[in-house]
Amino acid sequence: MVKQGTQIDTDFALDIVKDGTEQTVTFSELLDRPTIVSVYMRNNTSGCDKQNKSLADQADWFDEREYNLVAVSKDSCGSHKNYAEKLDINYILASDPEYKFAEATDSIVDKQMFGNEYQAPSRSAYVIGTDGTVQAIIEKVNTNDHAEELKEVIKNL
């Protein structure tokens, strides 16, 4: 996993849903102010719903402090549109089926489900500055209290 203080590669494209609209952007375009990137596995699953609902409930707090919120999963933008409506999400949802963000942060890990081993991004969160420098990392997200743990990180920066 990338270390705090490291400048990551931000020159990769992501499909995103922002304000109900699909678009393709380079990751660097999302860094118009410090940005929190929360990585989750899949829409409409218990832990991921809790993680995103926590962020959705506190999104204004982060916006007032001039932080962007971006949640990244492998889901399609079509799925993200429905998910944003379901959970009342007003921040950016990014589709990353090729794990480009995970590659940039060196956060692809070995996982196991139903006896099958595979590699996928870790459920983690990053605070990234406008120049692509990682300012803080939460290596293992608390799905129930994700917004609160991020607020503590922001307060301590």
Side-chain angles (χ1 to χ4, degrees), residues 30-36 58-70 127-130 135 154 157:
L30 300 176
L31 302 177
D32 59 335
R33 58 188 191 168
T35 300
I36 296 164
Q58 297 294 319
D60 290 343
W61 187 93
F62 296 102
D63 187 50
E64 288 165 6
R65 283 148 187 85
E66 299 191 6
Y67 282 85
N68 292 331
L69 276 177
V70 177
V127 180
I128 301 174
T130 57
Q135 298 174 339
I154 298 300
L157 283 180

Side-chain angles (χ1 to χ4, degrees), residues 3-122:
K3 301 287 184 213
Q4 185 175 338
T6 302
Q7 190 171 21
I8 65 169
D9 175 20
T10 60
D11 191 29
F12 57 90
L14 287 175
D15 294 329
I16 67 167
V17 173
K18 180 179 181 181
D19 300 324
T21 304
E22 292 181 40
Q23 52 188 293
T24 301
V25 299
T26 60
F27 183 71
S28 61
E29 291 176 83
L30 300 176
L31 302 177
D32 59 335
R33 58 188 191 168
T35 300
I36 296 164
V37 179
S38 179
V39 180
Y40 69 104
M41 303 307 107
R42 191 170 190 94
N43 294 341
N44 300 306
T45 58
S46 177
C48 297
D49 288 359
K50 290 175 189 174
Q51 181 176 340
N52 278 294
K53 186 66 175 143
S54 175
L55 291 177
D57 290 346
Q58 297 294 319
D60 290 343
W61 187 93
F62 296 102
D63 187 50
E64 288 165 6
R65 283 148 187 85
E66 299 191 6
Y67 282 85
N68 292 331
L69 276 177
V70 177
V72 177
S73 78
K74 67 180 183 177
D75 294 291
S76 69
C77 284
S79 176
H80 281 335
K81 280 183 172 180
N82 293 333
Y83 193 60
E85 188 173 312
K86 172 186 168 184
L87 294 183
D88 198 25
I89 293 172
N90 64 352
Y91 50 86
I92 295 169
L93 294 176
S95 175
D96 190 17
E98 297 172 2
Y99 304 150
K100 294 175 186 175
F101 180 78
E103 287 177 6
T105 55
D106 192 27
S107 60
I108 297 176
V109 297
D110 293 325
K111 295 188 174 195
Q112 191 173 44
M113 183 185 296
F114 306 119
N116 296 319
E117 293 185 19
Y118 61 100
Q119 290 191 319
S122 67

